[in-house]
């Protein structure tokens, strides 16, 4: 029984929705600086046409499936699309690591 | 004021000791699966002769210094060496990601 997981074993791992469809991969975890708690994970979707969607999901909504070596999320792509989203564009530069994700309080509601 | 930090902005960042000496870099964060809380960070030391030391440090003992773009730890290399440590050797394979860090409860005491 392992109660701990390394952060670099979470990042870049595939995430499947409740309906079995692949949502994307975990891009990064957003941590509360003060408490060291994961506020949310950011899921990056496929982006076949060159553009990716980035969605926040709560840590508690992700469950690891050892058989698939992937996470299962308690939601679907439709659920994700109904929430906050960022695109690869100029309004939010994911390459600029001086910025935090723009929905800091989304999951603390 | 950013209250959040991305996990991939923490990993591989340099850590300096209380005495100003560089301790190493943050190798990864160990997360409590159930709560999504950082149990501790793992600091990897220099390893000039090819062997690295890996030390757990509590999240609360790390403070980010924007001027140096590095973390400051509230301890010294001597403090680290007095605690649990892993080497790059056969007794603990850091490349085997199916294993957790062997000191899961160290920082919860």
């Amino acid at each position: 029984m392992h109660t701990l997981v390394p952060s670099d074993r979470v990042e870049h791992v595939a995430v499947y929705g409740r309906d079995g469809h692949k949502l994307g991969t975990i891009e990064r975890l957003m941590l509360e600086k003060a408490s060291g708690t994961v506020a949310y994970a950011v899921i990056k979707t496929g982006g076949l046409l060159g553009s990716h969607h980035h969605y926040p999901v709560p840590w508690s909504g992700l469950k690891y499936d050892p058989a698939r070596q992937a996470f299962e999320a308690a939601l679907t792509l439709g659920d994700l699309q109904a929430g906050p989203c960022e695109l690869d564009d100029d309004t939010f530069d994911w390459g600029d690591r001086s910025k935090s994700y723009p929905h800091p309080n989304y999951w603390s509601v």
Side-chain angles (χ1 to χ4, degrees), chain A:
Chain A
M1 266 295 288
H2 292 130
T3 59
L4 299 180
V5 62
S7 53
D8 55 348
R9 223 196 143 189
V10 173
E11 294 155 351
H12 313 303
V13 170
V15 182
Y16 289 84
R18 196 179 55 208
D19 56 4
H21 286 90
K22 185 174 175 178
L23 299 174
T25 57
I26 294 184
E27 187 171 23
R28 60 176 57 86
L29 304 172
M30 298 300 298
L31 305 165
E32 302 274 4
K33 285 184 191 173
S35 62
T37 303
V38 177
Y40 50 85
V42 179
I43 290 184
K44 180 178 179 177
T45 59
L48 278 181
L49 298 175
S51 179
H52 300 92
H53 291 71
H54 310 264
Y55 299 102
V57 292
W59 177 260
S60 58
L62 295 171
K63 194 181 161 191
Y64 190 70
D65 175 1
R68 265 202 293 199
Q69 298 191 34
F71 284 94
E72 291 175 345
L75 39 71
T76 64
L77 185 59
D79 295 329
L80 281 186
Q81 289 170 341
C85 175
E86 294 296 330
L87 286 169
D88 301 320
D89 64 19
D90 288 337
T91 63
F92 185 73
D93 179 4
W94 284 88
D96 178 359
R97 301 304 173 79
S98 72
K99 293 181 186 172
S100 291
Y101 191 77
H103 299 288
N105 299 315
Y106 186 71
W107 294 110
S108 59
V109 175

